[in-house]
Amino acid sequence: MACFHPRSPIFVLLTLLLIVQAWKVSTHAVEDDVKYVEIDVGENSYGGVKDQIDCDKECNRRCSKASLHDRSLKYCGICCEKCNCVRPGTSGNEDVCPCYANLKNSKGGHKCP
């Protein structure tokens, strides 16, 4: 059995391959659990405009457990209209909807619930 030094090129390559493989597995696990996905607004392959998601319905789902329900619905609606996407679940899942996750408030925090 070979013993690899942490700075050897083979050790670095194997480490990178393991990291990439772990990332692929975690990405697929998230994708399998996602019920709501981002819809890119714009022209589809037939030249028509893609459908808008139902922001009221999606925001009601997303904000269903929020302690400040009205405030959560307000900001979720703003973000949904801008991004045409609402993250799945009632918290987290920032990687599923990058536009929604990257909108910031005036203090630099997340704008969208």
Side-chain angles (χ1 to χ4, degrees):
M1 184 166 138
C3 182
F4 298 110
H5 188 274
R7 292 188 182 169
S8 73
I10 293 177
F11 182 82
V12 172
L13 180 62
L14 289 174
T15 303
L16 287 174
L17 288 173
L18 285 172
I19 291 170
V20 168
Q21 188 62 29
W23 177 77
K24 284 182 180 179
V25 169
S26 68
T27 302
H28 289 297
V30 169
E31 289 173 358
D32 292 342
D33 293 339
V34 173
K35 294 179 183 175
Y36 306 95
V37 295
E38 185 173 358
I39 301 172
D40 183 25
V41 178
E43 291 188 2
N44 60 24
S45 59
Y46 303 106
V49 176
K50 292 185 178 182
D51 295 331
Q52 279 288 116
I53 64 171
D54 184 348
C55 289
D56 289 339
K57 175 183 168 190
E58 294 303 315
C59 286
N60 274 317
R61 174 195 50 78
R62 177 75 179 174
C63 300
S64 63
K65 296 182 180 178
S67 58
L68 298 171
H69 188 72
D70 291 339
R71 178 182 249 177
S72 182
L73 283 174
K74 174 184 174 183
Y75 288 106
C76 179
I78 291 169
C79 297
C80 179
E81 290 295 324
K82 184 170 183 106
C83 298
N84 195 41
C85 179
V86 176
R87 297 180 282 183
T90 55
S91 67
N93 300 310
E94 292 180 8
D95 56 329
V96 177
C97 189
C99 170
Y100 189 95
N102 292 329
L103 291 176
K104 303 293 181 197
N105 63 23
S106 61
K107 296 179 182 175
H110 290 289
K111 180 181 194 93
C112 308

